[in-house]
Amino acid sequence: MRTLFLQAPSFDGFDGGAGARYQMRREVRSFWYPTWLAQPAAMVDGSKLIDAPPHRLTFADIAPYARTYELLVLHTSTPSFNSDVRTAQALKELNPDLKVGLIGAKVAVEPEESLKACHAIDFVARNEFDFTIKEVAEGRDWNRIDGLSYRNDEGVIVHNPDRAILENMDTLPFVTPVYKRDLVIENYFGGYLKHPYISFYTGRGCKSRCTFCLWPQTVGGHHYRTRSIGHVMEELTWAKAAFPQVKEFFFDDDTLTDNIPRVEALAREIGRLGLTWSCNAKANVPRSTLKVMKDNGLRLLLVGYESGNQQILHNIKKGMRVDVARRFTKDCHELGIVIHGTFILGLPGESKETIEETIRFANEINPHTIQVSLAAPYPGTFLYRQAQDTGWLHDTDAELLTDHGTQIAALSYPHLSHTEIFESVEQFYRRFYFRAPKIASIVGEMVRSPEMMRRRLREGVEFFRFLRDRGETST
């Protein structure tokens, strides 16, 4: 079937692509690659991938495709679901014969509800959906496709058996050729990554059990399955030649450092290619491993600290100690590894005192840049079930985003209101970035590089606009 893979138009600047862990507008304009869409697109001959938000495409831009394709596969998320459904319905009105399917964490855990939400949706693909979509595109009988939930000819919703988890990751084709074919990579930004950058996965799953984390609890699972190092290096070699303008490769595995021997072996191979790279990491990597990574091209680690309070880390099953994270960060500073630290406010156990503790912790360890998010109870996560059971949900019918596309504070506690949690994000940012040493560091970057000066000035404008929009939201 002629197949269109789509990330639909949404809020201006909305980073909800099939790869983003938090679907929302960022503090500065940032977009993750739609890797979860590109993977099945690479498996379907003659397919096309459209990633509307980073390419600033409107519904009018994508509408003509409705008449030229037979199958539409649309990635959706909890925050963007209602908008995505409207897009699917409008496209089907243009072509009633168009078969429409949804993929993503939202439909993986709520297939029945998702299908009932709109009759324009013919099917959803649950869990790991790559081969499910491939088989749909091949025209197989839907009743024989594992992992598929669909509406049959009588209008009855049918749920086929689950698809077995994919163990041999080398059976998946490269995604970077799809990027080359269908995307303008210069439209993808990361506030802490060199530009232009490329990201893709070397494995799926995460052995950690963080209660809030979306992908391992809905699609990827907690068993970290990896591509062979040779397979990864083949794609890197291809991508290096295909994208000579790329300045950094980011490995988007939930935690690349979950397998220490493998990450060291992978680093040594990357070092032979002479690439600059970065990855997600837990704040417990041994110094010896960090040195191997740094010596072989590692520039930056994205580290989920979440909180500076030990009890909160226990509450969310982070499996991390604050003192270990502090020592890890010191090692990174000494080795010259840049850190982008991520923090979450409003997790179970949060109070005014723990927020203050986390802000002080962030200032003390001083990562180069930070991201501060609000605790988001996505359906399918332990945090969502916990919030339902305890009555922490501020509004059980609320969306996870405002009309601007920014996060709301979905959780509220007897001792800490959702408004206080929401407002603490701006306080966190201001107290971290408006310190004299941090300002001096940013100015130093700008003085040394005209390119960095242009970038930081643009990001500064976007950052203050973000704070302004949040202020309007809070009122």
Side-chain angles (χ1 to χ4, degrees):
M1 302 175 71
R2 296 189 304 277
T3 306
L4 175 65
F5 292 86
L6 176 66
Q7 185 69 48
S10 189
F11 307 98
D12 180 43
F14 176 71
D15 183 16
R21 284 165 175 75
Y22 276 81
Q23 293 86 21
M24 64 177 183
R25 280 183 59 203
R26 308 294 173 188
E27 301 82 347
V28 299
R29 184 173 290 271
S30 302
F31 293 107
W32 284 106
Y33 279 83
T35 316
W36 284 98
L37 269 174
Q39 192 72 79
M43 304 170 75
V44 177
D45 290 340
S47 67
K48 181 174 181 59
L49 169 61
I50 296 178
D51 191 9
H55 294 81
R56 299 199 171 196
L57 301 178
T58 65
F59 179 80
D61 295 317
I62 65 172
Y65 292 95
R67 298 185 179 91
T68 57
Y69 285 88
E70 301 169 281
L71 173 63
L72 170 66
V73 178
L74 194 155
H75 172 264
T76 190
S77 65
T78 296
S80 66
F81 181 74
N82 290 335
S83 173
D84 296 332
V85 163
R86 289 193 295 270
T87 297
Q89 188 162 11
L91 291 173
K92 191 146 189 173
E93 287 172 0
L94 294 173
N95 178 7
D97 294 328
L98 184 68
K99 295 298 182 185
V100 179
L102 299 181
I103 61 172
K106 160 73 176 178
V107 299
V109 299
E110 296 181 337
E112 181 100 8
E113 298 88 339
S114 300
L115 285 164
K116 287 181 177 178
C118 179
H119 278 275
I121 308 304
D122 297 298
F123 69 89
V124 303
R126 310 188 309 269
N127 306 101
E128 280 188 307
F129 42 74
D130 316 90
F131 284 94
T132 302
I133 295 300
K134 181 177 185 292
E135 291 173 9
V136 171
E138 289 172 344
R140 297 195 187 188
D141 291 339
W142 287 8
N143 61 6
R144 296 194 302 168
I145 300 177
D146 287 348
L148 196 71
S149 295
Y150 63 98
R151 188 179 287 104
N152 66 17
D153 292 339
E154 289 73 41
V156 177
I157 293 175
V158 178
H159 302 287
N160 291 349
D162 288 340
R163 180 169 292 274
I165 193 169
L166 182 63
E167 293 290 347
N168 183 2
M169 300 298 293
D170 285 4
T171 60
L172 295 172
F174 300 163
V175 295
T176 46
V178 176
Y179 297 173
K180 180 72 173 179
R181 184 190 72 190
D182 292 334
L183 306 179
V184 178
I185 69 165
E186 286 77 11
N187 289 344
Y188 293 86
F189 298 89
Y192 44 88
L193 296 173
K194 290 180 176 292
H195 184 261
Y197 83 98
I198 278 182
S199 71
F200 61 84
Y201 297 93
T202 80
R204 288 183 184 170
C206 180
K207 67 181 182 182
S208 296
R209 299 278 172 170
C210 303
T211 62
F212 61 86
C213 196
L214 179 64
W215 289 105
Q217 297 184 76
T218 57
V219 175
H222 290 291
H223 171 38
Y224 184 34
R225 297 150 290 137
T226 59
R227 298 162 59 183
S228 67
I229 291 175
H231 195 254
V232 175
M233 295 310 300
E234 285 180 29
E235 181 160 19
L236 277 176
T237 302
W238 186 92
K240 179 183 179 182
F243 301 101
Q245 72 272 43
V246 166
K247 296 180 180 176
E248 182 162 22
F249 287 86
F250 184 87
F251 300 118
D252 206 13
D253 304 39
D254 288 287
T255 315
L256 189 76
T257 56
D258 265 358
N259 186 328
I260 293 297
R262 177 178 181 269
V263 77
E264 289 185 3
L266 179 62
R268 291 187 175 97
E269 291 299 316
I270 297 172
R272 294 187 176 96
L273 276 185
L275 300 177
T276 298
W277 60 285
S278 51
C279 68
N280 294 306
K282 200 168 180 178
N284 61 355
V285 185
R287 184 184 179 105
S288 58
T289 300
L290 291 172
K291 188 174 188 310
V292 171
M293 296 164 71
K294 173 64 178 175
D295 289 346
N296 288 281
L298 175 72
R299 186 188 70 87
L300 174 142
L301 294 176
L302 192 159
V303 180
Y305 294 101
E306 324 311 356
S307 175
N309 177 267
Q310 188 62 61
Q311 186 56 53
I312 289 179
L313 295 180
H314 288 323
N315 293 346
I316 62 173
K317 303 180 182 179
K318 182 69 179 178
M320 176 54 57
R321 294 196 58 83
V322 173
D323 57 341
V324 172
R326 186 178 283 112
R327 184 174 64 247
F328 158 88
T329 308
K330 183 174 181 290
D331 288 339
C332 287
H333 288 328
E334 291 174 355
L335 291 168
I337 297 171
V338 178
I339 294 178
H340 175 72
T342 63
F343 298 86
I344 301 175
L345 297 181
L347 293 165
E350 196 77 276
S351 65
K352 292 180 181 179
E353 292 74 22
T354 60
I355 290 173
E356 176 65 26
E357 187 176 0
T358 297
I359 294 174
R360 289 200 307 266
F361 173 71
N363 287 349
E364 174 199 342
I365 63 173
N366 195 32
H368 186 60
T369 51
I370 62 169
Q371 176 183 315
V372 185
S373 303
L374 292 160
Y378 284 92
T381 64
F382 181 89
L383 179 61
Y384 180 75
R385 297 189 295 273
Q386 190 180 26
Q388 284 185 312
D389 293 343
T390 55
W392 290 340
L393 289 173
H394 167 63
D395 182 348
T396 55
D397 296 321
E399 302 292 330
L400 291 176
L401 294 177
T402 69
D403 290 337
H404 298 293
T406 55
Q407 277 190 305
I408 65 169
L411 300 180
S412 182
Y413 305 102
H415 57 281
L416 190 66
S417 71
H418 73 285
T419 301
E420 290 173 307
I421 297 171
F422 183 87
E423 292 176 348
S424 65
V425 171
E426 181 174 344
Q427 178 190 9
F428 198 146
Y429 276 126
R430 290 185 180 277
R431 287 178 57 186
F432 182 83
Y433 280 115
F434 296 172
R435 297 174 292 144
K438 182 57 68 177
I439 292 172
S441 173
I442 294 172
V443 170
E445 276 188 315
M446 295 166 66
V447 169
R448 291 189 297 272
S449 168
E451 179 185 356
M452 186 59 71
M453 178 173 289
R454 290 191 295 271
R455 175 171 176 170
R456 292 303 186 213
L457 289 173
R458 173 184 61 81
E459 291 174 346
V461 171
E462 293 170 354
F463 179 69
F464 282 106
R465 186 180 297 134
F466 172 83
L467 294 183
R468 182 200 65 196
D469 290 346
R470 292 189 88 257
E472 293 174 356
T473 299
S474 66
T475 58

